[in-house]
Amino acid sequence: MPLKRETAEEIFQKLRSVQPVSFQLTNHRGIILASDDEDQVGRRDSRAAACCMRPFNEAVSCALDAGCGTVIPFWRHNRIAGTIILEQTADEKAQACLPLMKAVVELMLERKESWKLQEEEHSSKNDVISLLIGVHPRDTRPLLQELERCNIDLSTPRTSLLLQLSKRETLDLPSGEREIILDEKQYDISVRRFLDGLFGYFPYQQDLCMIDPAKANAVILATDRARASEDNAMSLFELCRKLEEIAERDYCLTLQAVVGIRCTAFSDYERQYEQLNLRLASGKMLYPERNVFLGNSIVLGNFITHTSRKILHNITTYVYQKLLNSKEREVLLETLRIYYESDMNLTQTAKKLYIHKNTVQHRLKRIEELTGFSVRTADGLLTLRMALLCYSRLKAKDSAPPNL
């Protein structure tokens, strides 16, 4: 791997703690890449060039002393990667530091090369995972071969997750809400740091993490944390809740997540990214006050998401036309929404609305009068719920109440 100026500058700063006298770093052609004298950067040093041209067996164990400074080569894979140049005024102590400097440079180059290989491997693995959770080609053999090459064992059951990050406008503190102002650079750094830290929460050998800082999201294919499928989903749900807290507390980010299906066969993974996004959108529609969702509990939201605008409009009109023409519509719709969010618990609904339980009952009775559907029957509850979701979907599309 050729020595680049950015890498040379980083190494140069590290060597500053080792060598107090002036020195320079060059590449394998003798071009100075880092120096205390900025005017020297970019120039060709004849001493370094001569050292780099020496055969390996001549230059490996000795420095070239030309009477006007000391040049010592450093190596990668039995090839000269560059040189360290000490000026003529360097004393014995400075000369004695040269072997240590050489060792530091070679160690840093080895680490850089290792990181680069890991990044390339991770990028290649990301591409394969992206294909796995996308649309499978007709001929799946190349994809299966790539999965095998990346040591991805499809016989291992995994549950799919989607994590989505966004800016957090306020932070809840004991003293009250505090406004958060993140510029784009701060936001990008927070997203990148959070996503890079995800691997620590999914450490199993067959856990697969595909992070996308540009879209501020991550898809995770998590191996089973428990034997029973339901227990495993709940375990991942609680982990997402924990990550939600961490994102808010440590990174000033809002995290939304959805736990998808348990994949046990190759075909289960197809279109998972698309399905997870739909389930997350459906979850936000059904429970706007929540950020983490179990995918299996938002079937109704998925149905509404795929329903045409005309049908949404017809259902909303059929159920809520009189209520929407009423002056009480905002209060009644909010009451009904909170009633469903509270799992039809009157006490919890009243508490969230800061009203008496009798007031909630009075409003529900008024809704029954205006719609003709009762909250005391299964059909009535389902009809009112579905129509409310249709109305919310229309509002989301238009950013305003539909003109009914």
Side-chain angles (χ1 to χ4, degrees), residues 290-319:
R290 300 179 190 174
N291 285 328
V292 181
F293 310 99
L294 277 172
N296 292 337
S297 66
I298 52 177
V299 175
L300 188 57
N302 274 305
F303 172 77
I304 300 299
T305 302
H306 290 287
T307 301
S308 69
R309 182 185 180 87
K310 182 178 180 181
I311 293 176
L312 294 175
H313 185 278
N314 289 343
I315 292 174
T316 306
T317 304
Y318 176 72
V319 177

Side-chain angles (χ1 to χ4, degrees), residues 1-271:
M1 183 177 69
L3 181 62
K4 296 183 179 179
R5 182 172 179 182
E6 295 79 8
T7 305
E9 284 287 350
E10 185 180 342
I11 294 173
F12 185 82
Q13 295 304 321
K14 289 287 185 183
L15 294 180
R16 267 270 147 261
S17 61
V18 177
Q19 183 61 263
V21 303
S22 296
F23 65 96
Q24 297 172 340
L25 289 181
T26 77
N27 64 10
H28 65 291
R29 293 177 180 173
I31 305 299
I32 299 171
L33 300 181
S35 172
D36 288 319
D37 184 359
E38 284 294 327
D39 293 335
Q40 295 296 318
V41 175
R43 294 184 179 183
R44 184 173 181 270
D45 188 284
S46 58
R47 297 165 297 169
C51 182
C52 292
M53 290 175 65
R54 284 190 166 196
F56 174 77
N57 58 350
E58 293 183 18
V60 68
S61 60
C62 65
L64 175 66
D65 192 346
C68 55
T70 303
V71 180
I72 185 169
F74 49 85
W75 308 81
R76 281 301 297 145
H77 304 303
N78 293 333
R79 291 185 179 181
I80 297 178
T83 67
I84 305 168
I85 304 175
L86 283 186
E87 296 304 319
Q88 184 179 10
T89 55
D91 56 20
E92 291 183 4
K93 185 177 179 181
Q95 295 277 354
C97 288
L98 277 172
L100 177 58
M101 294 174 71
K102 177 178 180 291
V104 170
V105 174
E106 291 175 351
L107 181 62
M108 289 188 69
L109 287 176
E110 183 180 354
R111 186 176 297 175
K112 281 280 184 183
E113 189 173 293
S114 175
W115 286 345
K116 184 178 180 182
L117 290 173
Q118 286 178 13
E119 287 175 0
E120 290 174 353
E121 182 182 353
H122 179 68
S123 177
S124 175
K125 203 168 187 178
N126 262 8
D127 292 341
V128 174
I129 297 171
S130 180
L131 291 171
L132 178 64
I133 61 175
V135 179
H136 292 174
R138 289 185 179 179
D139 183 3
T140 59
R141 286 174 297 177
L143 175 54
L144 290 169
Q145 289 171 358
E146 282 292 299
L147 291 166
E148 186 177 353
R149 184 183 64 80
C150 293
N151 296 318
I152 297 176
D153 182 8
L154 291 181
S155 66
T156 301
R158 297 182 184 85
T159 301
S160 59
L161 307 172
L162 174 65
L163 310 181
Q164 181 69 56
L165 299 169
S166 59
K167 286 184 181 180
R168 190 172 184 84
E169 303 298 333
T170 59
L171 192 63
D172 295 328
L173 299 172
S175 57
E177 285 190 346
R178 172 187 163 193
E179 186 178 357
I180 299 173
I181 300 175
L182 283 179
D183 61 28
E184 287 303 318
K185 186 173 183 179
Q186 291 172 320
Y187 172 65
D188 290 342
I189 291 172
S190 293
V191 167
R192 198 180 310 113
R193 286 180 175 175
F194 178 85
L195 293 178
D196 286 342
L198 274 180
F199 296 94
Y201 295 94
F202 297 92
Y204 291 16
Q205 186 177 0
Q206 283 294 323
D207 282 347
L208 304 176
C209 297
M210 187 181 74
I211 63 174
D212 189 346
K215 292 185 178 179
N217 69 16
V219 175
I220 298 157
L221 303 174
T223 54
D224 285 356
R225 265 63 175 168
R227 288 186 179 180
S229 178
E230 296 80 6
D231 293 342
N232 185 58
M234 284 307 303
S235 175
L236 292 170
F237 178 84
E238 292 303 325
L239 176 56
C240 289
R241 291 286 297 272
K242 180 180 179 181
L243 290 172
E244 179 190 7
E245 294 176 6
I246 292 170
E248 176 186 346
R249 184 187 66 236
D250 298 340
Y251 299 91
C252 295
L253 297 171
T254 295
L255 179 140
Q256 294 177 320
V258 61
V259 180
I261 67 168
R262 186 169 179 262
C263 303
T264 57
F266 176 62
S267 58
D268 294 339
Y269 292 96
E270 187 170 22
R271 294 185 179 275

